[in-house]
Amino acid sequence: MASSSYLQFKGQPRLPKFAIPRRYDIRLKPDLVACTFSGAVAVSVDVVSPTKFIVLNAADLPIDSDSVSFKPDSNSSQELRAVGVGLIEEDEILVLEFGDEIPTGAGVLRIAFRGTLNDNMKGFYRSVYEINGEKKNMAVTQFESADARRCFPCWDEPAAKATFKITLDVPSDLIALSNMPIAEEKQQGDIKAVYFEESPIMSTYLVAVVVGLFDYVESHTSDGIYSQVGKANQGKFALDVAVKTLEIYRKYFAVPYSLPKLDMIAIPDFAAGAMENYGLVTYRDVALLYDEQHSAAANKQRVTIVVAHELAHQWFGNLVAMEWWTHLWLNEGFATWVSYLATDDIFPEWKIWTQFLDQTTEGLRLDGLAESHPIEVDINHVTEIDEIFDDISYMKGASVIRMLQSYLGAEPFQRALASYIKKYASSNAKTEDLWAVLEEESGEPVTKLMNSWTKQKGYPVVSVKFKEQKLEFEQSHFLSRGSAGDGEWIVPITLCYGSYDVCQRFLLQTKCATLDIKESAWIKLNVDQTGFYRVDYDDKLAANLRHAIQSNLLSATDRFGVLDDSFALCMAGQQPLTSLLTLMSAFKEELEYTNLSNLVTISSKVGRIVADAAPELIGYVNRFFINLFLYPIEKLGWEPRLGESHLNAMLREELLNGLVQLGHDSTVNEAIRRFEAFLDDRSTPLLLPDIRKASYVAVMRRVTKSNRAGYEALLRVYRETDLSQEKTRILSSLGSSRDPDIILEVRSQDAIFGLAVSREGRETAWTWLKDNWDYISKTWGSGYLLPHFVSSTISQFSSYERAKEAEEFFATRMKPSIARTLKQSLERIDINAKWVHSVQKDERLAKVNTQHIQKSAYRSDQAGKELPWTKSQTPMKVGNIEDQSNCIIYASDTNAELKSYRNELPPKFSTQRGTRNTIYGFTSSPPVPIPPTQHVDSYNR
């Protein structure tokens, strides 16, 4: 209990600067059976002003009051004893009061304490693993953002850098790891004292300790990977990536890795994906371990990027640390961006910079909310920190860095970064420090340019019109809810017209601008999508781009940008859904992984909205999407080809999963057939890792209350496997069922995957969240996972009534750690509700209204082979099709269904190779599907 004299320190965003820590000598003794620990810390501090108080951080640590003392270096015989020890729990600060004033100068503060190895995956906690069927505990630390205080009393702020000398008392048969190499071990019966070398100066959140029983693989560069016993081979791929990445960063930053060793360890229970502790990087199993036989191509890519991300932190974040959490993006944005740079260097065939557009899109979607936040966000309390570990700090941060690199040029940018690292090594930096170095090195107005991107939330949509040999540009603050905000940016505009050989660039520094230009076949802004903004083209420019996409004149990145901007504008009600569908049909022969992956994502989101807005149309919309995906999947097939590319392996997974989610019967049936073969033989080549997720989803789609056989079979696979990636695949598939009774006890870290539910399951998920909120809130309290429970559960709704219900539910259950996420989730519901209303007003969806059909009809067999038309199979039309255009006809090639058409198609239709068992009729303009009421072969989701 804090006395009244301590209240002067309550509610402050930062610790007072009475004393500055210089060195910690920490001794910890974990009890892995009782799940407790005891400890003592001696902190060498500089007292900078006379004081009777020392204020530092502590949480969930009973303090031995009699142990608290301070001994000034200036008088070795004087030892000041604390007369008061108070904990202000809501601020997680420990106030130590001394009877006499502490003089300025150096001294040593000593404190003894106890704690619990908690189950909350933060601070000093326990994780559970198995050896030969026996469950055992390991002790693990996770201190970012502000949980070192749960292991030992400390100045738990990034700027309070110090050195650390750590000693662990652990059972003799266990392995003890920390940031530095072991200096000495002393045996004391069944306990050994492990003394680690003293670290260089670093922030408290980077201190790490792990105690347990592990297997180990290592490389000659003093890198090592620890895993659970029996999984050492699964660490070899990550080890190889780490060795190559360290060399890449050494050259890029022109500064070598600064510690004598680097260990990476897989932890069974881990809240984040990974944590960049200096010299001892901790990972969730799925982010570090890779099994050649049972991991998918996507798992391999994830391991590469995550390892590259965490090792980037050894420079950006560890060697040069942010001054305060306001500048978190300096850590996370740069680590995200440079992880793609390293991955591209190691695996150039992955086309990872094209895939980076997924990161940019995630940043754009979150930053399109009115409830977004600037990259640099003021943090006024420790409870606010975890919420900014989001797509703004990571994805937007990385994207604006890429935009700046593109503007300055790759070489000047690299030179400036190397100068920045050298200047601020072993120190702290703010965002403006980085801009100053970049500006000095490049001679460009970096500070002025980038302040408009980091100090205000949001981003612009640049509207462009072609008029009288001029391009007219106008920027406005884009918001997904449809209305415009009041932001204004300095926008690096790039454009090309008619050819990538004809390009221009300039800075749009005002709201409007014009550019003299000759008319060309097409004009594309934001070349290669390096800019963090959206583009809204006038109708003519949009039509020209659509034609350029159909003619394969645009790069994969630019095709992605045109589609994603159109999707965003449609969601915001600034473009009708029929326009988006028309554009999507231009991708009917798309084979690029990143674009097809985005099409699958968009189809899922559009499908949910159409199902809410016009359920009678969902069959025809789903059929439209199915036919987009049948062409590329027929090219790929179910079986991998010898020497198949990494991207094709990932694409097969995306397409099959998309078709299963859309309910394509033949895909679902084949997926289930392969799953049944897998149940009989776990090593069958019929169900390789890259297609397992699709099969698991297909199984769950057929599960009902009366037929749970598939569900029970999946649970058996889940319980039998010890591969975390396989468990995640299964767990993330369970929500595909419509069965509200599916319950599975899973690891706490994985609970969030179970919330990835189908549209039909969202009510069940919401009811479950309400019924279990007290337990969820208590179990996950604060940290990374709790906000995800909120957003994953309620963001999928699309009615104002549900938004009001959610707001009322959380009104009496609000926690600071979910405040921002809740506002964002409620805004997403509002956006969805407006989108539903917009779709309901789009008359073209239910009424095709044009003039000519010009292009073609075609049919094929199950293998995609072209078949000739017979008289009985002559394709027929629906209604007065000759008076309609801009449409598409779907039909089975069976005689019975074809007879349901009343009249034959015009003779100008030619026969071309098409997708399986499907007849197409469309105009020279990209098609929009006809409504299911006129549809022979519609599917209801």
Side-chain angles (χ1 to χ4, degrees):
M1 178 72 72
S3 71
S4 57
S5 62
Y6 304 160
L7 297 181
Q8 60 182 301
F9 306 113
K10 185 176 180 179
Q12 300 300 311
R14 305 282 290 268
L15 292 171
K17 300 297 191 289
F18 301 144
I20 299 172
R22 299 301 183 193
R23 179 183 187 271
Y24 290 84
D25 193 333
I26 304 167
R27 188 157 192 157
L28 298 170
K29 184 177 182 179
D31 184 332
L32 298 181
V33 177
C35 292
T36 59
F37 65 93
S38 58
V41 60
V43 191
S44 300
V45 301
D46 285 340
V47 179
V48 296
S49 60
T51 179
K52 286 189 175 183
F53 296 96
I54 293 181
V55 183
L56 63 165
N57 295 112
D60 305 327
L61 292 178
I63 303 297
D64 180 357
S65 299
D66 294 336
S67 72
V68 180
S69 67
F70 184 87
K71 180 177 287 189
D73 287 356
S74 59
N75 187 348
S76 59
S77 63
Q78 181 186 20
E79 184 175 68
L80 304 177
R81 311 297 298 187
V83 296
V85 176
L87 182 67
I88 301 179
E89 293 184 3
E90 59 267 39
D91 295 324
E92 299 180 348
I93 61 174
L94 177 66
V95 181
L96 307 177
E97 183 177 7
F98 294 85
D100 296 324
E101 192 171 76
I102 302 173
T104 58
V108 177
L109 173 68
R110 298 182 184 276
I111 308 172
F113 51 90
R114 293 175 290 108
T116 299
L117 295 175
N118 65 74
D119 292 322
N120 299 327
M121 294 181 286
K122 64 180 181 178
F124 202 12
Y125 71 94
R126 73 160 184 160
S127 180
V128 180
Y129 61 108
E130 284 190 15
I131 296 181
N132 298 324
E134 181 183 358
K135 289 189 175 182
K136 294 182 177 292
N137 294 328
M138 69 172 72
V140 186
T141 58
Q142 169 58 38
F143 290 163
E144 191 179 33
S145 54
D147 291 314
R149 64 193 67 184
R150 287 178 166 78
C151 183
F152 58 94
C154 57
W155 281 257
D156 204 8
E157 297 181 354
K161 282 188 163 186
T163 62
F164 293 82
K165 182 75 171 67
I166 294 175
T167 303
L168 299 176
D169 295 312
V170 301
S172 300
D173 60 331
L174 299 184
I175 293 173
L177 303 171
S178 189
N179 306 84
M180 298 296 290
I182 295 173
E184 183 183 9
E185 288 189 10
K186 291 183 179 179
Q187 200 73 28
Q188 300 166 346
D190 294 335
I191 300 294
K192 62 182 177 183
V194 183
Y195 300 86
F196 294 92
E197 295 178 15
E198 187 166 337
S199 76
I201 66 168
M202 61 183 182
S203 303
T204 50
Y205 76 87
L206 297 170
V207 175
V209 166
V210 179
V211 180
L213 196 59
F214 312 105
D215 273 352
Y216 177 72
V217 290
E218 66 179 336
S219 168
H220 67 278
T221 60
S222 299
D223 309 319
I225 292 187
Y226 290 85
S227 67
Q228 295 177 54
V229 172
K231 294 188 176 182
N233 285 337
Q234 295 177 29
K236 290 181 177 179
F237 175 73
L239 180 62
D240 181 60
V241 169
V243 170
K244 293 175 180 177
T245 300
L246 286 174
E247 180 62 16
I248 290 169
Y249 292 159
R250 182 189 67 79
K251 292 179 179 179
Y252 191 83
F253 296 126
V255 174
Y257 174 65
S258 55
L259 295 191
K261 65 95 176 176
L262 173 63
D263 291 328
M264 304 195 297
I265 183 166
I267 306 297
D269 301 282
F270 199 75
M275 176 60 209
E276 67 269 19
N277 312 301
Y278 219 169
L280 177 56
V281 184
T282 46
Y283 295 80
R284 188 182 286 206
D285 278 3
V286 295
L288 184 67
L289 304 182
Y290 175 76
D291 187 300
E292 289 285 351
Q293 288 189 321
H294 299 290
S295 297
N299 299 132
K300 186 176 188 177
Q301 182 169 298
R302 183 190 178 192
V303 169
T304 303
I305 292 174
V306 173
V307 168
H309 180 107
E310 300 310 319
L311 298 194
H313 278 307
Q314 306 303 307
W315 284 263
F316 257 97
N318 298 8
L319 183 61
V320 179
M322 60 192 166
E323 192 277 335
W324 180 237
W325 296 104
T326 292
H327 310 285
L328 172 68
W329 86 281
L330 282 179
N331 284 15
E332 302 303 347
F334 264 92
T336 300
W337 172 77
V338 83
S339 69
Y340 278 74
L341 183 145
T343 300
D344 185 57
D345 194 297
I346 300 170
F347 297 107
E349 69 275 14
W350 289 4
K351 301 179 182 178
I352 204 68
W353 283 116
T354 301
Q355 294 188 60
F356 180 82
L357 298 180
D358 291 332
Q359 310 298 308
T360 299
T361 293
E362 291 304 311
L364 288 166
R365 286 180 183 164
L366 178 55
D367 211 27
L369 300 180
E371 291 294 343
S372 181
H373 63 82
I375 285 179
E376 295 181 75
V377 58
D378 290 334
I379 297 296
N380 296 310
H381 197 274
V382 66
T383 55
E384 300 173 2
I385 298 173
D386 284 335
E387 275 203 303
I388 64 168
F389 280 82
D390 62 6
D391 288 343
I392 300 300
S393 297
Y394 285 74
M395 313 314 185
K396 182 180 180 180
S399 297
V400 298
I401 291 164
R402 182 170 181 251
M403 179 172 67
L404 180 59
Q405 184 216 27
S406 176
Y407 176 72
L408 296 179
E411 290 186 9
F413 189 77
Q414 179 182 355
R415 289 197 305 270
L417 283 188
S419 298
Y420 169 79
I421 292 288
K422 289 176 182 176
K423 182 174 183 177
Y424 292 98
S426 301
S427 185
N428 297 85
K430 300 178 181 180
T431 300
E432 47 265 38
D433 297 324
L434 176 61
W435 297 157
V437 174
L438 284 163
E439 191 164 303
E440 182 179 352
E441 291 283 339
S442 68
E444 295 285 346
V446 174
T447 301
K448 179 181 178 183
L449 167 64
M450 296 309 294
N451 279 349
S452 73
W453 294 95
T454 65
K455 293 186 178 299
Q456 65 176 335
K457 64 184 177 183
Y459 58 87
V461 54
V462 178
S463 300
V464 56
K465 300 177 181 179
F466 184 77
K467 188 176 181 181
E468 298 177 354
Q469 302 303 306
K470 291 181 182 293
L471 276 182
E472 298 179 352
F473 304 89
E474 182 178 355
Q475 66 160 298
S476 59
H477 184 171
F478 178 83
L479 290 174
S480 295
R481 66 186 183 189
S483 56
D486 55 5
E488 190 170 306
W489 291 261
I490 299 176
V491 188
I493 298 290
T494 56
L495 68 153
C496 57
Y497 34 99
S499 166
Y500 284 98
D501 295 329
V502 185
C503 297
Q504 284 187 247
R505 54 183 292 176
F506 68 95
L507 286 179
L508 178 61
Q509 303 190 58
T510 56
K511 184 174 179 62
C512 300
T514 60
L515 184 68
D516 292 332
I517 192 171
K518 293 182 179 179
E519 187 170 5
S520 60
W522 52 270
I523 296 172
K524 171 67 173 64
L525 267 67
N526 197 7
V527 180
D528 286 332
Q529 298 304 114
T530 57
F532 194 78
Y533 57 92
R534 296 202 181 276
V535 182
D536 185 8
Y537 299 93
D538 68 23
D539 291 343
K540 184 176 181 180
L541 293 175
N544 290 345
L545 281 172
R546 191 166 61 240
H547 179 72
I549 291 171
Q550 287 176 310
S551 303
N552 200 28
L553 299 176
L554 297 188
S555 67
T557 52
D558 283 328
R559 296 198 302 274
F560 183 103
V562 173
L563 174 64
D564 204 64
D565 287 348
S566 178
F567 172 66
L569 291 165
C570 178
M571 181 189 298
Q574 297 177 25
Q575 194 179 94
L577 179 57
T578 44
S579 294
L580 174 63
L581 295 175
T582 297
L583 174 62
M584 292 177 74
S585 66
F587 289 80
K588 64 183 182 297
E589 295 184 358
E590 179 66 59
L591 294 174
E592 183 73 32
Y593 165 75
T594 305
N595 286 328
L596 282 165
S597 175
N598 196 31
L599 282 163
V600 170
T601 299
I602 290 172
S603 71
S604 175
K605 294 181 179 180
V606 169
R608 284 178 179 243
I609 291 299
V610 171
D612 285 344
E616 71 279 5
L617 299 183
I618 189 58
Y620 111 88
V621 170
N622 279 352
R623 190 69 219 177
F624 171 69
F625 293 141
I626 285 170
N627 281 279
L628 275 181
F629 304 142
L630 284 176
Y631 174 78
I633 197 58
E634 285 174 354
K635 290 278 190 181
L636 289 174
W638 283 81
E639 309 292 344
R641 293 176 174 84
L642 184 65
E644 179 177 78
S645 73
H646 168 83
L647 289 175
N648 277 351
M650 293 209 304
L651 178 57
R652 179 179 293 105
E653 179 182 30
E654 287 279 352
L655 290 172
L656 290 176
N657 193 43
L659 286 167
V660 167
Q661 294 281 12
L662 288 165
H664 184 241
D665 282 340
S666 62
T667 304
V668 172
N669 291 337
E670 177 65 10
I672 292 175
R673 182 185 77 82
R674 289 170 179 263
F675 176 72
E676 291 169 348
F678 177 70
L679 291 180
D680 294 333
D681 177 9
R682 295 293 197 272
S683 60
T684 179
L686 288 176
L687 198 65
L688 297 175
D690 289 313
I691 62 174
R692 285 182 193 169
K693 174 68 180 293
S695 283
Y696 298 162
V697 172
V699 168
M700 290 307 301
R701 284 186 63 84
R702 296 283 173 87
V703 167
T704 64
K705 289 183 180 180
S706 59
N707 179 16
R708 298 168 60 91
Y711 170 62
E712 297 297 337
L714 265 178
L715 291 190
R716 286 198 304 273
V717 177
Y718 180 91
R719 290 165 182 150
E720 290 169 6
T721 185
D722 67 346
L723 185 69
S724 297
Q725 292 162 350
E726 182 76 339
K727 288 183 179 291
T728 299
R729 273 195 290 266
I730 296 170
L731 191 57
S732 60
S733 304
L734 296 181
S736 303
S737 172
R738 297 174 176 85
D739 185 347
D741 299 326
I742 293 176
I743 299 173
L744 177 65
E745 291 185 10
V746 298
R747 287 190 182 275
S748 295
Q749 65 175 18
D750 295 330
I752 195 65
F753 289 112
L755 296 177
V757 298
S758 63
R759 174 179 172 271
E760 295 82 3
R762 59 188 175 179
E763 293 288 349
T764 301
W766 172 230
T767 300
W768 174 84
L769 185 80
K770 290 186 292 183
D771 291 344
N772 294 276
W773 179 254
D774 290 344
Y775 170 77
I776 293 167
S777 182
K778 179 181 178 182
T779 303
W780 287 279
S782 61
Y784 306 104
L785 293 179
L786 190 63
H788 286 291
F789 278 97
V790 176
S791 60
S792 297
T793 305
I794 70 174
S795 294
Q796 302 303 319
F797 288 110
S798 58
S799 70
Y800 299 114
E801 294 77 14
R802 185 65 73 232
K804 182 179 180 181
E805 179 187 340
E807 188 172 15
E808 290 174 351
F809 175 80
F810 284 107
T812 57
R813 298 168 176 84
M814 182 55 62
K815 297 172 72 75
S817 60
I818 66 168
R820 191 189 304 274
T821 300
L822 177 60
K823 290 178 181 178
Q824 292 169 349
S825 299
L826 294 174
E827 184 179 354
R828 289 189 192 278
I829 299 177
D830 181 69
I831 290 166
N832 290 340
K834 289 178 178 177
W835 194 6
V836 164
H837 184 62
S838 173
V839 170
Q840 289 170 338
K841 294 194 302 181
D842 189 352
E843 296 180 357
R844 291 181 61 198
L845 270 179
K847 184 179 180 181
V848 182
N849 183 20
T850 48
Q851 313 193 348
H852 304 286
I853 294 180
Q854 289 181 337
K855 187 123 186 221
S856 62
Y858 40 81
R859 77 185 264 274
S860 64
D861 64 12
Q862 290 287 349
K865 180 180 178 182
E866 181 181 337
L867 295 177
W869 294 112
T870 66
K871 184 174 182 180
S872 63
Q873 292 173 325
T874 301
M876 314 297 284
K877 69 178 181 179
V878 179
N880 188 18
I881 198 71
E882 292 184 17
D883 292 335
Q884 299 176 345
S885 69
N886 218 18
C887 72
I888 188 167
I889 297 172
Y890 301 119
S892 169
D893 60 1
T894 63
N895 293 339
E897 289 180 322
L898 286 171
K899 288 179 181 178
S900 66
Y901 285 17
R902 294 198 295 263
N903 302 300
E904 294 185 1
L905 284 171
K908 55 189 171 184
F909 272 55
S910 60
T911 302
Q912 298 181 13
R913 184 183 185 282
T915 56
R916 65 180 63 177
N917 294 332
T918 307
I919 302 168
Y920 294 87
F922 53 91
T923 69
S924 56
S925 299
V928 173
I930 60 174
T933 53
Q934 300 176 330
H935 199 310
V936 176
D937 191 26
S938 66
Y939 167 74
N940 290 307
R941 186 171 179 173

